[in-house]
């Protein structure tokens, strides 16, 4: 089924998907997904449960490689470079394309080491003071520094759920990503922690390309500039968030945003 695009010129897309399909064993989860995702903005993936939002998100940092039965076809480019090519190291790719999951997943390490881990393995700091600076900057960018500056040696798991999610975002930031993928990052959080993460997403978009999967249409409307609506493994409609929510062109989008299904 062809996608309805609003009249949007996206020049120099940060992320470009062309005819992307994913199967799990003999089951096709998504097919024919083509999308141009702009830099320095938030793009929301919305749609009913099981429509393939997370599957498409995972094609952008090759997380489907970690699922034995998953097969990805089509092309995914970041800055024009094919990420599925054999010459791309998925570990390096996943530093460029960070990911935040539904449940905060700090490492069983101190707050400091949660952030320092990535820069250490990628050799991004030449000494202790440089590493300290990366840890501080990353925590500041994630809006967590003031809350943890005096307890960096305590376990990451000792923080509240919302703080843990900001810790995980700081961990992603610490390796200087270009793209940050967020798979329902607020679904385990209370409204206050959710509001903080949404504020943070709004700040981060100045510097990163952010793609967020969300079940909450209100959240998509609040945080994103572009929205892609998926249904039964198809990308149905893609365009500026305001246009998708006020003037959807496909009946399925209209039905979903007015709460008729999903
Ligand atoms: N690891 C997997 N193994 C087998 N099938 C999978 C796997 N992950 C997803 N699927 C299937 O692929 C389809 C799309 O799933 P996906 O999780 O991408 O949808 P979603 O829109 O993100 O759903 P939700 O909103 O419920 O998280 C579903 O039918 C799902 O059952």
């Amino acid at each position: 089924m062809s996608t309805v695009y609003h009249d949007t010129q996206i020049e120099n897309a940060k992320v470009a998907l062309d005819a992307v399909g994913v199967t799990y064993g003999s089951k096709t989860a998504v097919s024919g997904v083509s999308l141009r995702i702009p830099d320095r903005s938030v793009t929301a993936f919305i749609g009913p449960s099981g429509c393939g939002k997370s599957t498409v998100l995972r094609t952008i940092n090759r997380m489907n490689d970690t699922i034995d039965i998953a097969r990805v076809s089509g092309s995914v480019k970041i800055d024009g470079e094919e990420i599925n090519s054999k010459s791309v190291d998925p570990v390096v790719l996943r530093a460029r394309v960070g990911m935040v999951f539904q449940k905060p997943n700090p490492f069983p390490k101190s707050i400091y080491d949660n952030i320092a881990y990535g820069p250490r393995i990628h050799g991004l700091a030449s000494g202790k003071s440089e590493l300290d600076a990366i840890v501080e900057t990353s925590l500041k960018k994630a809006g967590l520094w003031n809350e943890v500056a005096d307890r960096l040696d305590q376990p990451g798991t000792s923080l509240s759920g919302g703080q843990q999610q900001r810790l995980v975002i700081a961990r992603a930031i610490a390796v200087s990503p270009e793209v940050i993928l967020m798979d329902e990052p607020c679904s385990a959080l209370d409204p206050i922690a959710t509001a903080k993460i949404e504020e943070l997403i709004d700040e981060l978009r100045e510097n990163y390309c952010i793609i967020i999967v969300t079940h909450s249409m209100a959240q998509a409307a609040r945080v994103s500039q572009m929205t892609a609506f998926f249904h039964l493994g198809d990308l149905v409609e893609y365009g500026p968030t305001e246009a998708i929510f006020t003037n959807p062109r496909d009946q399925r989008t209209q039905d979903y945003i007015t709460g008729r299904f999903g």
Side-chain angles (χ1 to χ4, degrees):
M1 238 163 283
S2 65
T3 310
V4 177
Y5 287 90
H6 285 262
D7 305 323
T8 309
Q9 294 290 326
I10 296 178
E11 285 161 21
N12 305 322
K14 182 72 186 174
V15 180
L17 276 64
D18 273 297
V20 168
V22 181
T23 57
Y24 296 107
S26 58
K27 184 181 180 299
T28 299
V30 295
S31 61
V33 175
S34 298
L35 263 179
R36 298 275 174 282
I37 298 176
D39 201 2
R40 292 166 203 275
S41 66
V42 180
T43 297
F45 288 180
I46 64 167
S49 193
C51 65
K53 305 176 294 290
S54 301
T55 296
V56 173
L57 193 75
R58 288 197 296 264
T59 65
I60 301 168
N61 68 347
R62 286 181 50 180
M63 280 298 276
N64 290 306
D65 289 13
T66 65
I67 302 171
D68 269 357
I69 58 170
R71 295 287 171 273
V72 178
S73 57
S75 157
V76 180
K77 290 183 178 157
I78 297 181
D79 288 337
E81 185 197 357
E82 178 59 57
I83 65 163
N84 289 311
S85 120
K86 285 212 169 75
S87 59
V88 172
D89 176 348
V91 175
V92 175
L93 174 69
R94 289 179 201 136
R96 281 180 75 195
V97 185
M99 190 155 190
V100 175
F101 297 89
Q102 215 167 337
K103 277 211 191 121
N105 60 345
F107 300 140
K109 293 172 183 290
S110 68
I111 293 169
Y112 183 96
D113 283 335
N114 261 276
I115 312 297
Y117 180 82
R120 274 193 194 115
I121 60 166
H122 291 285
L124 300 182
S126 60
K128 173 88 170 91
S129 61
E130 228 175 287
L131 198 56
D132 288 351
I134 293 176
V135 169
E136 181 172 338
T137 311
S138 307
L139 287 167
K140 280 184 174 159
K141 285 187 185 160
L144 190 58
W145 176 252
N146 290 342
E147 288 158 70
V148 301
D150 59 352
R151 50 193 283 207
L152 293 176
D153 55 343
Q154 290 181 20
T157 48
S158 66
L159 298 171
S160 72
Q163 288 174 325
Q164 287 187 24
Q165 203 58 311
R166 280 180 280 145
L167 179 70
V168 170
I169 292 171
R171 186 174 72 193
I173 290 172
V175 289
S176 302
E178 298 158 48
V179 180
I180 304 177
L181 309 177
M182 299 187 172
D183 197 349
E184 296 181 47
C186 302
S187 65
L189 306 181
D190 64 37
I192 292 170
T194 296
K196 279 198 181 150
I197 298 285
E198 288 183 1
E199 260 169 52
L200 174 59
I201 291 171
D202 197 49
E203 282 164 23
L204 293 176
R205 86 178 149 92
E206 281 178 28
N207 295 306
Y208 306 95
C209 169
I210 298 177
I211 307 168
I212 177 173
V213 167
T214 177
H215 270 124
S216 158
M217 282 182 275
Q219 179 167 73
R222 282 193 299 266
V223 303
S224 73
Q225 288 71 54
M226 297 292 288
T227 293
F229 170 66
F230 293 86
H231 184 237
L232 298 175
D234 290 321
L235 171 60
V236 171
E237 188 159 352
Y238 175 56
T241 298
E242 209 188 326
I244 296 285
F245 282 98
T246 57
N247 185 25
R249 296 189 180 166
D250 189 287
Q251 189 61 41
R252 291 165 291 177
T253 319
Q254 169 83 27
D255 289 348
Y256 183 69
I257 62 166
T258 54
R260 267 179 223 135
F261 66 84

